[in-house]
Amino acid sequence: MSLLASRLKERLAAPMTMETSMAADRPTSDIERNKLRKLLLSDTPFHGYLDFSRPVVAVSGEAIRKGRAAYPPQVPLKIKIAAGWPAQSLQGMIVDSLDDPLPIQATPEERERFDRGEPLLVRANMVGMRPERSSGGQVADDIEKQIKDAFAVNVFVIFERLRYLVPLRDGKNVRNWADQEAAQNFIFDKELLPLPWPERDHRTTGKRRRRLIDTAWRNGQRQKFLRCLYPSKRLRREIAAWAEGFREKRKDVIEEEIRFQKTQFVALNMCRERAKEFRFIESEISESIRREPDGDGFLDPKQTAVAAGFNHPIDAGAVFDAVYAGDFDPKLMFHRLASLKGFEFVRQLGRFARGQPTTSSPVQLAEQVERSRQHLNEQPEMFSERLHPELMSGREFLLYAYKNYEDQCAAYLAR
């Protein structure tokens, strides 16, 4: 146990209360739909042989016959951990192709590894049949609404933080804004709009993107949106007090905090578009099934690739950033990331940073931070490198969030 965790354990005489404040108010239809998918996946023509509601290890039969893989197959420990314990219940299937008897979505790199004889961990997903509407488009999913609201709140909060940080970075004489509108024009046009934008967003011009940011900023400061992520009713004053802590900081420290804020904006914007795209592709699949209800073939590979998220450029590192800022379950729309275990932990860190109740105590979070930091140091290749000079990589973001958590705990202990 780390020194911080030990001190927190001594300081906290009363246990943390379980999370109850907002859970009851959140919509649950996405969760219920996920439960139904799991139930249906467990009842397939392969019932009694494979339970597709659980992970399955796929191994190449050809690789075994040609001596490229051992028999019985040797499954690496990290795959067993990703699939869940106990390892004795791990399911496996030996197939000659990832396209037969069941089509398995895999990247070219994964297919190459499969052909070499490496086991692949796969998860089945059932596409939801969406009802046909007589007029209008498909109703947004709960996860889509949640991310859209989180994006709005974060646009407002990030603007409030940057309006203090940017003058500290550039100097007051350079960024001496006469009013809030001047600050908005600079921060939105010069700091946020030049950042990477979702490739498939229909807003292809700066004017349309600026309109989205303006709308999000207006909605994000409304109490009905703010209270979903920030319990405080004095948020502006708290941000102003927080910014005072940077007044005597070095320029590189201020720049690092600005990158931290911008990374949350980009990650949530990417996830906002992914949620909408996921709804669109399920609607297209539902329509194709309605046109050919008796079709025996599998779904269009292009459609299933989109549903699984293979066409999306966002990687796990960016999803962690969005989960931290937006407090949502990404596995509802990023099915390829279902094996990753750290999302709930990162959600809890984000909640703690915003002053929301958490299901883990500060001691438990401190211990998880210590383990995760060690894991990131041992496996620096986990996330892709930083792709933009004004953003953090997934690894940099998590390490910075861990430091923020420890600083919050240290401030609490100093009281």
Side-chain angles (χ1 to χ4, degrees):
M1 182 185 298
S2 68
L3 178 61
L4 176 62
S6 302
R7 292 184 64 199
L8 282 168
K9 185 171 285 188
E10 294 170 4
R11 178 69 187 266
L12 295 172
M16 284 289 286
T17 57
M18 295 297 288
E19 178 182 357
T20 57
S21 58
M22 292 188 297
D25 299 327
R26 289 181 179 171
T28 59
S29 61
D30 277 346
I31 297 174
E32 293 302 319
R33 187 168 64 169
N34 224 32
K35 289 180 180 178
L36 179 60
R37 282 175 171 163
K38 186 173 182 179
L39 178 64
L40 293 173
L41 283 169
S42 63
D43 185 18
T44 68
F46 297 89
H47 186 67
Y49 300 95
L50 291 173
D51 178 1
F52 283 109
S53 67
R54 296 167 45 218
V56 179
V57 175
V59 182
S60 168
E62 182 181 1
I64 292 176
R65 288 193 297 272
K66 294 187 176 180
R68 294 195 298 268
Y71 185 84
Q74 302 298 308
V75 181
L77 179 60
K78 65 179 182 180
I79 289 185
K80 293 180 181 179
I81 293 174
W85 297 96
Q88 292 87 343
S89 63
L90 192 64
Q91 303 181 108
M93 60 180 182
I94 298 175
V95 293
D96 285 336
S97 167
L98 290 179
D99 301 310
D100 184 50
L102 292 172
I104 297 174
Q105 293 293 324
T107 64
E109 179 190 11
E110 289 168 339
R111 287 179 176 272
E112 184 179 336
R113 284 165 37 206
F114 174 82
D115 291 339
R116 287 201 307 262
E118 294 184 30
L120 288 184
L121 184 66
V122 298
R123 293 175 184 269
N125 179 47
M126 184 166 289
V127 177
M129 186 70 177
R130 293 177 179 267
E132 187 174 16
R133 289 169 57 86
S134 57
S135 63
Q138 288 289 334
V139 177
D141 293 336
D142 294 331
I143 184 67
E144 185 178 351
K145 295 175 186 175
Q146 188 179 357
I147 295 174
K148 184 179 178 181
D149 293 349
F151 176 72
V153 170
N154 274 272
V155 167
F156 167 67
V157 171
I158 290 169
F159 165 75
E160 288 296 318
R161 296 190 190 279
L162 293 187
R163 68 186 296 196
Y164 292 103
L165 294 176
V166 170
L168 292 176
R169 179 195 67 187
D170 298 345
K172 283 190 174 180
N173 293 332
V174 179
R175 302 286 170 248
N176 186 17
W177 295 311
D179 53 33
Q180 180 169 284
E181 184 178 355
Q184 280 180 246
N185 288 336
F186 183 87
I187 290 174
F188 291 168
D189 293 342
K190 304 298 183 183
E191 299 289 338
L192 298 184
L193 279 178
L195 297 173
W197 200 267
E199 291 182 3
R200 294 167 186 84
D201 192 352
H202 66 278
R203 301 171 185 85
T204 56
T205 65
K207 185 177 180 179
R208 299 182 72 184
R209 292 174 179 179
R210 171 64 194 266
R211 193 179 301 135
L212 170 71
I213 295 176
D214 285 335
T215 301
W217 177 82
R218 284 194 300 272
N219 289 335
Q221 59 189 296
R222 295 165 61 188
Q223 196 59 38
K224 64 175 285 190
F225 291 96
L226 270 177
R227 66 177 175 230
C228 294
L229 292 176
Y230 288 90
S232 174
K233 294 183 178 180
R234 301 178 299 170
L235 187 57
R236 274 195 170 101
R237 275 183 280 178
E238 290 180 359
I239 291 176
W242 165 85
E244 283 297 313
F246 288 89
R247 191 165 294 280
E248 305 301 326
K249 298 289 187 181
R250 300 190 316 272
K251 184 177 178 179
D252 62 309
V253 175
I254 297 171
E255 289 175 340
E256 194 73 356
E257 178 62 35
I258 290 175
R259 277 197 292 272
F260 183 68
Q261 299 298 326
K262 288 182 176 180
T263 301
Q264 295 174 74
F265 169 81
V266 171
L268 275 172
N269 199 17
M270 295 287 187
C271 287
R272 175 193 60 78
E273 183 62 23
R274 166 61 184 164
K276 185 173 70 174
E277 181 190 41
F278 183 72
R279 169 169 56 89
F280 283 171
I281 195 62
E282 279 205 343
S283 300
E284 290 179 12
I285 291 173
S286 300
E287 181 59 31
S288 67
I289 293 174
R290 273 191 288 271
R291 286 197 301 267
E292 298 183 52
D294 299 324
D296 296 327
F298 293 112
L299 297 176
D300 184 335
K302 292 183 180 179
Q303 290 181 328
T304 52
V306 176
F310 274 84
N311 68 319
H312 209 277
I314 194 170
D315 71 350
V319 177
F320 273 110
D321 309 342
V323 167
Y324 177 91
D327 190 24
F328 63 93
D329 182 2
K331 290 179 285 188
L332 291 171
M333 58 179 186
F334 287 102
H335 302 297
R336 279 177 51 77
L337 305 180
S339 297
L340 296 179
K341 305 294 184 182
F343 286 127
E344 185 57 33
F345 159 55
V346 173
R347 286 181 74 179
Q348 296 298 312
L349 280 184
R351 293 180 64 82
F352 186 90
R354 294 186 296 271
Q356 293 178 286
T358 61
T359 55
S360 300
S361 72
V363 176
Q364 292 171 321
L365 288 176
E367 292 171 346
Q368 285 181 283
V369 162
E370 186 179 9
R371 289 195 298 269
S372 181
R373 180 184 281 119
Q374 181 181 353
H375 185 60
L376 288 173
N377 290 333
E378 291 173 351
Q379 296 189 355
E381 74 284 354
M382 268 191 67
F383 301 128
S384 62
E385 294 299 316
R386 186 195 305 174
L387 300 179
H388 193 282
E390 295 186 49
L391 301 177
M392 291 180 170
S393 69
R395 182 174 180 274
E396 289 173 319
F397 184 93
L398 289 179
L399 291 174
Y400 194 88
Y402 298 163
K403 179 181 178 298
N404 282 351
Y405 172 77
E406 291 171 339
D407 289 346
Q408 280 184 280
C409 291
Y412 171 79
L413 291 170
R415 293 175 186 172

